[in-house]
Amino acid sequence: MVCRTDSVKCIIRCRSGRIELTEIKAKIEVAGNKARCSSIGRMLGATHMLEEKTDAGQQGIQRIDVEAVNTAGVREPLYAARKKVFPQRAKGTFRRLKWVIMALTLAVYYITPWLKWNRGEFAPDQAVLIDLANRRFYFFFIEIWPQEFYYVAGLLVMAGIGLFLVTSTVGRAWCGYTCPQTVWVDLFLVVERAIEGDRNARIKLDKSPWSGGKLVKRLSKHAVWMLIAVSTGGAWIFYFAEAPNLLNELVTFQAPPIAYITIAILTATTYTFGGMMREQVCTYMCPWPRIQAAMLDEHSATVTYNDWRGEPRNKHTKKAIAEGKNVGDCVDCNACVAVCPMGIDIRNGQQLECITCALCIDACDNVMDKLGKERGLISYTTLNDYNANIKLATGTDGLVNPKNIHGKNGRLVDAVINANWRTLVRPRTLLYAAFLGAIGLGMLYVLSARDQLSLNILHDRNPLYVLLSDGSVRNGYDVKIVNMANDPRVIELSLDGLEGGAMRLAGQNSEPTNSLRIEVEPDQVHPLRLYVQADPDDLGERPQMFQFVATDVQGEERAVARAKFETP
Ligand code: SF4
Ligand code: SF4
């Protein structure tokens, strides 16, 4: 309940709808958290809102009664009850951009496990699959084996550099647009608004005593939230098994327990983080806001309140101008605070809590449009540009003087520097982009040029060799033929560089030979236990180094592995 008795005019709006919107000249007597309005002659309780009719208000802008509850100086200690944030719906360019990104990211997350990619009859046809049982990662045309984990490391390095690039360019755009926490909170807010209404209706509902209507709204909201949370957990496990089969197993309660446990954990975290904790996750739990400061520089564009233009803020501009006071462009309407999902006031400067979602830019641009002033009182701005503008606006007395930046027509003078995309292209960002491109291209090249056949050899450690009755020496080896192709292959395994050497499969009494033909299953590792024997008198150096050679009989691919032959 807020009443400003210095108002010239007041609008008294009953949010319960029982009193019509009325414009009056009224005397407001404040008593505790109640106020008596002399015009309508009744007490207004906490469910009523008084809004000042400011000069700006006459142009359709009402001052919103909102407190920046999550700003560091105001925020309650961690153990105190959270002051809820009720973000108002924003409209504008950045909000539209956020809708598009939200729809895209959610679609990618939920739909990807259901996409198909034909890899032949011997490999799964799910486009993106983390096959833990067979230790494979399938990503469309890419298949990564455990020994190729460096690709995953390369992807992580690329993700890190990408984050550096974005942050040094446009601040925490990752946080504001694509971070799962932001996306899911936005989704949960869509549901909340659809069921409980926008900011004022939600505040009123929150404060109202429990009733049938409130119970129905709250139950509906939490039920939809829970549905979203379960779908989120459910979608995640589809990345780890063939989605249609797993879905069938899930609904018939035949899926492995770990699937249900994973869904339960992700449901709980999605519901808690997205629905209940919201901005607290970013403020208290996420390390990223703490790290980001190191990546920003004076050329990074961040969401900034241009106080060189907005100050001195005043909600009664005409009166102030008539009194000869300096008046900035900010009409102190609080629209920027009301839409902020983090519960902060950007006019207090750069803050750790700001996720750079730019909704305050949209809110303020709408206000500027109504006032007939240039947009950009809150804007993406670099520190350099901000410093240049504040220098321009500051008078000899060291105070910001709006007259320094406004021409006679009331518009901003040309010397004011506006946001310019060219400031984003600089050596630092180019270097990050070059690194990103080089690693990406390098990985693509290695990926496309890699062999689909490889050979691993492990010599026995004990015994190193065995002396046979005919005087020859035998060494034992564990051999693994890796067939990364999605077709079965016949591989010829031979010895090279071991004079008089011959081999046979362990457990078979066949005659030793210089080459063996082995059928290898598609997309599999084929293990073998081999004995190689040779006459030590035929050998030169000791131990004798030689090679195992694996050749695809139908194709041209071949793999070579060096080994040693131990003798007494
Ligand atoms: S201050 Fe503006 S950019 Fe920062 S979180 Fe709030 S609305 Fe988003
Ligand atoms: S910065 Fe803009 S939106 Fe925020 S209070 Fe001032 S005029 Fe209103």
Side-chain angles (χ1 to χ4, degrees):
M1 178 73 172
V2 172
C3 173
R4 291 176 181 80
T5 50
D6 64 340
S7 304
V8 181
K9 282 182 174 180
C10 290
I11 288 175
I12 299 176
R13 172 183 288 171
C14 171
R15 284 179 294 169
S16 65
R18 286 191 294 271
I19 304 170
E20 291 299 322
L21 182 70
T22 318
E23 187 173 325
I24 53 168
K25 288 199 175 184
K27 188 178 170 207
I28 308 294
E29 296 162 15
V30 180
N33 69 340
K34 299 245 172 131
R36 179 183 293 279
C37 171
S38 64
S39 176
I40 55 175
R42 53 178 290 187
M43 295 297 288
L44 302 171
T47 58
H48 300 83
M49 181 178 71
L50 300 180
E51 289 179 349
E52 286 174 284
K53 186 80 174 174
T54 63
D55 293 345
Q58 288 163 6
Q59 285 156 287
I61 301 160
Q62 289 165 351
R63 186 167 197 274
I64 302 169
D65 177 27
V66 57
E67 189 191 0
V69 291
N70 196 33
T71 292
V74 180
R75 198 165 54 228
E76 298 289 331
L78 191 55
Y79 50 80
R82 168 193 176 226
K83 278 192 184 168
K84 289 184 191 166
V85 180
F86 298 91
Q88 192 168 51
R89 182 174 177 160
K91 286 180 187 150
T93 312
F94 292 104
R95 181 61 265 185
R96 280 196 294 278
L97 179 65
K98 270 172 72 73
W99 286 136
V100 171
I101 294 176
M102 177 184 157
L104 275 177
T105 46
L106 287 173
V108 166
Y109 178 72
Y110 287 116
I111 294 173
T112 299
W114 301 92
L115 298 179
K116 298 289 176 200
W117 190 266
N118 186 5
R119 300 186 183 89
E121 59 179 309
F122 298 105
D125 63 353
Q126 189 163 313
V128 178
L129 178 67
I130 301 164
D131 187 353
L132 291 179
N134 295 305
R135 294 187 292 170
R136 301 278 194 290
F137 172 44
Y138 298 96
F139 186 81
F140 295 93
F141 65 97
I142 299 171
E143 179 184 345
I144 295 180
W145 287 60
Q147 69 269 27
E148 296 174 318
F149 191 75
Y150 49 85
Y151 286 119
V152 179
L155 282 177
L156 289 177
V157 170
M158 283 181 71
I161 295 175
L163 221 46
F164 290 173
L165 173 63
V166 171
T167 308
S168 65
T169 310
V170 282
R172 290 170 62 192
W174 160 260
C175 302
Y177 296 87
T178 42
C179 171
Q181 174 66 16
T182 298
V183 171
W184 261 266
V185 167
D186 246 7
L187 182 60
F188 278 54
L189 271 171
V190 168
V191 174
E192 189 171 275
R193 276 197 202 104
I195 295 173
E196 296 183 353
D198 206 354
R199 176 185 154 76
N200 291 345
R202 298 209 305 280
I203 295 174
K204 181 187 157 197
L205 185 74
D206 198 59
K207 286 180 178 165
S208 68
W210 281 101
S211 63
K214 180 169 177 172
L215 192 66
V216 169
K217 281 185 177 173
R218 284 283 151 95
L219 281 177
S220 314
K221 177 178 84 173
H222 287 281
V224 181
W225 279 4
M226 192 50 81
L227 206 64
I228 294 172
V230 173
S231 322
T232 306
W236 178 253
I237 63 166
F238 292 145
Y239 284 87
F240 294 85
E242 292 209 49
N245 294 345
L246 184 56
L247 180 62
N248 189 34
E249 288 172 9
L250 278 173
V251 294
T252 53
F253 299 103
Q254 288 168 344
I258 189 67
Y260 296 105
I261 293 169
T262 308
I263 293 177
I265 291 172
L266 286 174
T267 301
T269 48
T270 308
Y271 178 81
T272 310
F273 292 169
M276 315 302 283
M277 291 181 67
R278 299 186 182 179
E279 79 286 348
Q280 293 180 98
V281 174
C282 313
T283 308
Y284 297 112
M285 294 171 66
C286 180
W288 188 237
R290 278 86 188 162
I291 301 168
Q292 61 141 2
M295 295 174 195
L296 299 175
D297 61 27
E298 62 277 21
H299 302 288
S300 309
T302 53
V303 176
T304 308
Y305 166 64
N306 294 305
D307 54 1
W308 50 268
R309 180 185 154 188
E311 301 297 317
R313 68 186 79 156
N314 201 311
K315 47 188 175 276
H316 302 297
T317 47
K318 284 181 187 163
K319 192 174 162 199
I321 290 169
E323 289 168 358
K325 291 181 186 165
N326 280 337
V327 177
D329 283 348
C330 176
V331 292
D332 207 11
C333 64
N334 283 340
C336 51
V337 185
V339 296
C340 178
M342 295 300 294
I344 60 171
D345 185 344
I346 191 65
R347 293 173 299 169
N348 295 335
Q350 278 287 310
Q351 295 155 72
L352 172 144
E353 296 81 4
C354 175
I355 56 170
T356 323
C357 66
L359 296 183
C360 51
I361 298 183
D362 279 342
C364 191
D365 279 351
N366 290 335
V367 173
M368 292 299 114
D369 287 350
K370 286 180 186 163
L371 292 173
K373 296 185 178 182
E374 290 107 323
R375 291 179 161 207
L377 174 53
I378 302 175
S379 65
Y380 271 104
T381 306
T382 68
L383 186 60
N384 260 1
D385 291 350
Y386 171 83
N387 284 340
N389 286 331
I390 202 149
K391 200 170 159 193
L392 185 70
T394 307
T396 47
D397 56 357
L399 298 173
V400 167
N401 186 347
K403 288 179 189 139
N404 292 352
I405 48 160
H406 287 101
K408 285 193 182 132
N409 58 0
R411 313 295 290 174
L412 291 171
V413 295
D414 289 345
V416 166
I417 301 174
N418 293 310
N420 187 337
W421 64 268
R422 285 194 193 88
T423 57
L424 308 178
V425 183
R426 57 188 199 277
R428 181 176 175 180
T429 51
L430 289 176
L431 205 63
Y432 283 144
F435 270 134
L436 204 59
I439 297 175
L441 286 176
M443 279 176 54
L444 266 183
Y445 172 75
V446 174
L447 213 56
S448 56
R450 70 177 176 176
D451 295 331
Q452 290 204 304
L453 179 67
S454 77
L455 195 57
N456 292 316
I457 306 290
L458 192 64
H459 188 282
D460 283 358
R461 284 177 174 264
N462 192 13
L464 282 175
Y465 57 84
V466 174
L467 270 174
L468 300 179
S469 54
D470 61 359
S472 62
V473 175
R474 190 184 81 187
N475 280 206
Y477 300 88
D478 285 315
V479 178
K480 282 182 181 163
I481 302 173
V482 184
N483 177 19
M484 291 193 251
N486 291 325
D487 298 303
R489 295 208 271 189
V490 178
I491 302 297
E492 186 172 271
L493 190 65
S494 57
L495 302 175
D496 184 30
L498 187 67
E499 188 63 38
M503 62 185 160
R504 69 176 173 80
L505 290 169
Q508 292 186 2
N509 286 327
S510 52
E511 272 301 303
T513 169
N514 188 263
S515 75
L516 294 167
R517 288 207 166 189
I518 296 136
E519 280 184 26
V520 183
E521 308 79 5
D523 204 34
Q524 290 295 326
V525 177
H526 189 98
L528 297 172
R529 174 83 185 137
L530 276 184
Y531 291 129
V532 177
Q533 65 186 71
D535 187 340
D537 294 338
D538 294 339
L539 305 179
E541 59 188 35
R542 294 181 184 191
Q544 173 76 52
M545 298 307 295
F546 71 104
Q547 293 175 333
F548 282 96
V549 180
T551 312
D552 182 355
V553 173
Q554 287 107 5
E556 304 210 330
E557 213 172 353
R558 117 193 242 273
V560 175
R562 274 169 68 80
K564 64 182 174 184
F565 189 82
E566 298 278 1
T567 55

